[in-house]
Structures are given as structure tokens and as C-alpha cells.
């Protein structure tokens, strides 16, 4: 006989820590729905995200390098999948809810526009005086308003805890819908994990992509203690390893070290805090999922190196600047002629305003589609070749 929903919820509760966010304790959805017979609420949320158009478009959105510039370079989709994998590893080690961290991780970058962070900066500048643009807020906007595949409600109608996990970089979290409680300092431990796993993923994997593209070198990285420590360990363990295989081994070692450090440090902080429930976690003065002080310092050194030597490398920034000029020109064309947006999108202008509607439409585009749209609107000269 198949397990009932009550039995599935009981199994989940029996294997998770008392301070984990349990499915049966969810604050619910904006639009109440009957529970699914065989899927816990966060499994259902995960499936809604996976089926969304916004998720599928991540395959053709930039991580660091413009999409299509290299077959093995990461896209926003592969980055997202890797964040989900690291999130689940940390959650399992701490006896937290893997389903919840997974769906937060899978949804966290849905709001990224074409051309990565440079594209985000361009849209934010273009939206000055009209609410600005932030990809985290846009991820939430997508799942709550823009993606609407279901006949009974607007958005994906995800659980409160998933929406909470998308509210990154906020110092004060909104209470559940319908609650008269005030805000609180911290999100769930699961949301904290997805946030930190994102950082672990993009620094280490951007590092590997930069090495593959030969924009940075192992010799440069020897001045960075985190790299130097793990490279020395790899050389001792595998003296015959060299070239790309050795570099990839060092990146994996860095990821392992960071995950192990987060698990160990966070377990100690959780124990010392005395939290006994998910609500206790939310009332903590600061996050409990953290690096140790020593690893945090080393990560900051790596972050500084990547900004100086990769993210602003002329070959990366030059291409991104040209791409963002296309984004700006298409934005202006839509403002001048809203009929270019198409009927379904143009219908939102009355509620959302012209600038926000154009921003929503552009931010949802893939790199490839934006370039093709620019060619359609501005046939000459050629797009990125100017």
C-alpha cells in the first residue's frame, strides 16, 4: 500500500532536527489549496519551479561568460543545479529539510536578466525613479506574479517558507500571509543554507571557468591562501596529476573544505544557541549557518581576487558592456513603442506601469533572444560586433 500524506509527514518529522522547518508546519500558501496525496508541500513547490518557463530559460542566461562563448562554461542553469546539490548536502548533514533547501536553490536565480550581473546593473540604472531592479526581488516577483500557468491563481502559489528564502539581503523578513505577527531577524535555517551555498558555488565555479578560459592562472592563485592550501594538498595526494585535471581537483577540494567548514561551524552555533524550533531560529539575532572566522577571511581574499582579475577582466567586461548596450537600446525601443511588447505583455502596463512591464519583459529574456530581438529592431550594424 502507498504511504499516506500523514505517514510521509511523520517520516519527515522523525528524521529531521527539532529546529528544522517541517512540511506539516508550513505557514501555507497565499491561495489555500488542498494538500497533494503523495507529495509534501515543498516537493510540490519544487515541481512547480522546475516546470516554469523562467527555469527553462536559465539554460541560455549568462553566469560569468556570455552564453554560447564556450561549450563547457557554466550557464545560469548549471550554476542553479550545483547550488541545489550543495544545499542538499549541507541540509542532510545538519538534519534539515532537503526538499525546502532544494526548491529555494532552484528558484533563487529565476529573476536574473540576460548578461548576468552587468545586465542587472544596466536594468537597475534604467529603472532609476521607477523602483530599480534587483534579481532577488525579481525572482520573487516571477513566482508570485509573472509565471501564471494555473487557472485558479496568479503566480506559482508557493509555500511561505520558499518565498521567505527568496528574500535575500533583507534585514527584516515579512511575516506569513494573514499573520498579525511582526517581522523577524532571520529566515529558516534552510533559507540560510541556500543563500550560503550560492556563494560557495559561484566563487569556486567561476574560478574554474576563469581557469578554463585562461583569463586567470594557477600561478596568480598561489598568492591566495585558500587556493595555495588546497593546491598543496592535491599535489601531495596526487603527485602525478597535472594540467586541467589538477586545477579541477583543487577547485573540488576548495568546495569540500567550505562545505565541511559550514557544516561544522553551523552545528556548533546551532547547539550553542539552544534553538528548539524553526520559530526559535527566526528569532535569533543573526544567522546560524555561517563559515568559521578563518575561512570567512580566506573567502574574502578569494572574492577580492575574482573581482580584480576575472569579473572585470577586459575580455569579460568588454563583451558584457557591448551586450548591455544592446539591452539598453531594446529597453528604449520598447518605451518608445509599447506595441512592440506583444498583446499579453502590453496588457500589464495598466497595472504595473510601462517601465516595470518593459523591465519584466526584458529581464525574462535569454541572452540569445535579446540579441536576436536587437537584430530585429536594429538590423544594422551587427549587434555584438560593433
Amino acid at each position: 500500500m502507498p504511504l499516506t500524506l500523514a505517514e510521509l509527514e511523520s517520516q519527515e518529522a522523525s528524521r529531521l532536527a527539532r529546529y528544522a522547518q517541517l512540511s506539516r508546519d508550513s505557514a501555507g500558501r497565499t491561495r489555500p489549496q488542498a494538500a497533494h496525496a503523495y507529495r509534501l508541500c515543498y516537493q510540490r513547490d519544487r515541481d512547480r519551479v522546475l516546470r516554469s518557463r523562467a527555469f527553462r530559460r536559465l539554460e541560455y542566461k549568462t553566469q560569468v561568460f556570455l552564453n554560447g562563448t564556450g561549450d563547457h562554461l557554466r550557464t545560469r542553469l548549471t550554476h542553479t543545479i550545483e547550488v541545489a546539490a550543495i544545499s542538499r548536502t549541507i541540509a542532510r548533514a545538519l538534519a534539515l529539510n532537503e526538499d525546502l533547501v532544494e526548491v529555494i536553490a532552484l528558484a533563487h536565480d529565476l529573476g536574473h536578466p540576460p548578461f548576468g550581473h552587468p545586465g542587472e546593473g544596466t536594468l537597475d540604472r534604467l529603472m532609476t525613479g521607477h523602483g530599480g531592479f534587483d534579481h532577488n526581488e525579481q525572482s520573487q516577483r516571477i513566482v508570485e506574479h509573472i509565471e501564471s500557468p494555473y487557472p485558479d491563481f496568479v503566480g506559482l502559489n508557493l509555500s511561505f517558507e520558499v518565498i521567505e528564502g527568496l528574500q535575500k539581503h533583507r534585514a527584516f523578513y515579512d511575516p506569513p500571509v494573514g499573520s498579525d505577527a511582526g517581522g523577524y531577524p532571520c529566515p529558516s535555517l534552510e533559507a540560510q543554507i541556500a543563500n550560503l551555498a550560492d556563494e560557495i558555488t559561484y566563487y569556486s565555479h567561476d574560478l574554474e571557468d576563469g581557469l578554463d578560459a585562461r583569463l586567470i592562472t594557477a600561478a596568480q592563485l598561489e598568492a591566495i591562501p585558500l587556493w595555495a592550501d588546497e593546491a598543496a594538498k592535491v599535489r601531495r595526494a596526487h603527485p602525478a596529476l597535472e594540467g586541467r585535471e589538477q586545477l579541477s581537483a583543487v577547485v573540488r577540494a576548495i568546495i569540500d573544505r567550505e562545505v565541511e567548514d559550514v557544516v561544522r561551524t553551523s552545528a556548533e552555533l546551532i547547539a550553542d544557541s539552544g534553538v528548539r524550533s524553526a520559530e526559535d531560529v527566526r528569532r535569533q539575532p543573526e544567522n546560524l549557518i555561517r563559515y568559521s572566522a578563518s575561512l570567512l577571511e580566506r573567502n574574502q581574499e578569494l572574492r577580492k581576487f575574482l573581482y580584480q582579475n576575472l569579473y572585470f577582466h577586459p575580455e569579460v567586461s568588454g563583451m558584457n558592456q557591448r551586450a548591455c548596450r544592446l539591452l539598453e537600446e531594446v529597453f528604449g525601443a520598447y518605451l518608445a513603442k509599447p506595441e512592440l511588447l506583444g498583446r499579453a505583455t502590453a496588457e500589464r502596463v495598466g497595472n504595473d506601469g510601462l517601465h516595470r512591464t518593459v523591465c519584466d519583459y526584458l529581464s525574462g529574456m535569454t541572452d540569445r533572444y535579446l540579441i536576436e530581438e536587437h537584430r530585429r529592431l536594429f538590423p544594422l550594424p551587427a549587434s555584438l560586433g560593433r
Side-chain angles (χ1 to χ4, degrees):
M1 292 293 291
L3 296 174
T4 65
L5 180 63
E7 289 170 331
L8 291 169
E9 290 177 336
S10 179
Q11 284 186 354
E12 179 189 76
S14 69
R15 70 174 184 272
L16 297 185
R18 64 180 67 185
Y19 39 77
Q21 175 62 57
L22 301 181
S23 298
R24 69 187 182 192
D25 294 336
S26 171
R29 308 175 187 276
T30 302
R31 180 74 178 267
Q33 286 184 273
H36 192 274
Y38 304 116
R39 286 183 296 167
L40 301 176
C41 64
Y42 306 131
Q43 291 178 297
R44 198 177 191 183
D45 290 338
R46 176 203 60 206
D47 295 345
R48 290 181 179 186
V49 169
L50 288 175
R51 293 182 185 127
S52 69
R53 290 185 174 185
F55 184 81
R56 296 196 293 274
R57 289 196 297 268
L58 294 178
E59 181 177 2
Y60 297 104
K61 289 193 174 188
T62 291
Q63 174 63 18
V64 172
F65 297 89
L66 195 67
N67 184 258
T69 56
D71 289 346
H72 300 126
L73 298 173
R74 286 168 173 87
T75 66
R76 191 61 58 178
L77 178 62
T78 57
H79 162 75
T80 294
I81 294 169
E82 289 171 305
V83 174
I86 290 176
S87 295
R88 289 188 68 102
T89 296
I90 297 172
R92 181 173 296 186
L94 294 173
L96 296 172
N97 196 319
E98 292 181 56
D99 292 335
L100 178 55
V101 298
E102 181 180 38
V103 65
I104 295 171
L106 292 174
H108 86 281
D109 267 356
L110 292 179
H112 248 296
F115 313 137
H117 287 286
E120 178 175 15
T122 298
L123 280 182
D124 188 43
R125 175 173 55 80
L126 294 171
M127 289 295 289
T128 300
H130 300 278
F133 180 83
D134 177 87
H135 83 268
N136 296 301
E137 294 177 4
Q138 190 69 12
S139 294
Q140 185 175 345
R141 182 169 171 77
I142 284 171
V143 300
E144 290 190 309
H145 301 291
I146 297 174
E147 286 275 345
S148 293
Y150 302 101
D152 298 329
F153 48 81
V154 173
L156 301 183
N157 201 29
L158 303 180
S159 304
F160 162 78
E161 293 76 23
V162 177
I163 301 301
E164 172 191 62
L166 299 180
Q167 295 179 350
K168 292 172 63 173
H169 311 311
R170 292 192 185 182
F172 197 75
Y173 286 79
D174 297 330
V177 174
S179 170
D180 58 2
Y184 48 90
C186 292
S188 68
L189 292 173
E190 287 82 0
Q192 295 176 38
I193 287 173
N195 187 19
L196 202 55
D198 182 28
E199 181 178 314
I200 292 172
T201 304
Y202 68 71
Y203 284 146
S204 57
H205 292 157
D206 291 354
L207 179 63
E208 186 170 26
D209 282 355
L211 288 164
D212 276 353
R214 304 184 193 284
L215 299 186
I216 55 177
T217 67
Q220 288 176 290
L221 285 163
E222 285 296 330
I224 307 302
L226 180 58
W227 174 275
D229 290 349
E230 299 310 312
K233 293 176 186 176
V234 168
R235 286 193 292 268
R236 286 195 299 269
H238 305 283
L241 208 60
E242 58 184 18
R244 185 182 181 281
E245 289 74 19
Q246 183 188 71
L247 299 180
S248 294
V250 176
V251 172
R252 291 195 300 273
I254 289 173
I255 295 171
D256 284 345
R257 177 174 173 181
E258 294 195 334
V259 169
E260 290 169 5
D261 180 273
V262 167
V263 169
R264 183 174 58 254
T265 302
S266 301
E268 293 172 357
L269 290 170
I270 291 168
D272 291 345
S273 73
V275 294
R276 299 178 63 83
S277 69
E279 292 311 305
D280 284 349
V281 169
R282 291 181 172 88
R283 289 190 288 267
Q284 291 298 299
E286 56 185 350
N287 285 356
L288 297 173
I289 304 297
R290 301 208 298 266
Y291 299 113
S292 64
S294 61
L295 189 59
L296 177 61
E297 181 179 355
R298 277 164 168 61
N299 276 335
Q300 289 170 340
E301 294 164 345
L302 177 59
R303 171 189 172 97
K304 183 178 179 180
F305 173 88
L306 287 171
Y307 272 92
Q308 291 177 340
N309 297 280
L310 179 60
Y311 301 143
F312 294 119
H313 189 286
E315 191 168 323
V316 174
S317 62
M319 180 66 76
N320 285 335
Q321 287 171 12
R322 292 191 293 274
C324 289
R325 190 177 67 231
L326 308 188
L327 181 62
E328 184 168 358
E329 290 174 355
V330 175
F331 190 97
Y334 287 157
L335 287 182
K337 293 184 177 181
E339 61 270 21
L340 294 171
L341 294 169
R343 182 182 58 81
T345 301
E347 287 176 353
R348 301 213 313 266
V349 172
N351 288 328
D352 297 337
L354 179 57
H355 276 76
R356 182 58 61 188
T357 302
V358 169
C359 183
D360 284 343
Y361 190 51
L362 279 171
S363 68
M365 290 183 179
T366 63
D367 298 9
R368 180 176 63 182
Y369 187 81
L370 190 282
I371 292 169
E372 290 174 352
E373 183 69 351
H374 185 274
R375 286 175 180 154
R376 185 178 72 84
L377 297 173
F378 304 95
L380 293 173
S383 56
L384 292 183
R386 305 196 265 179

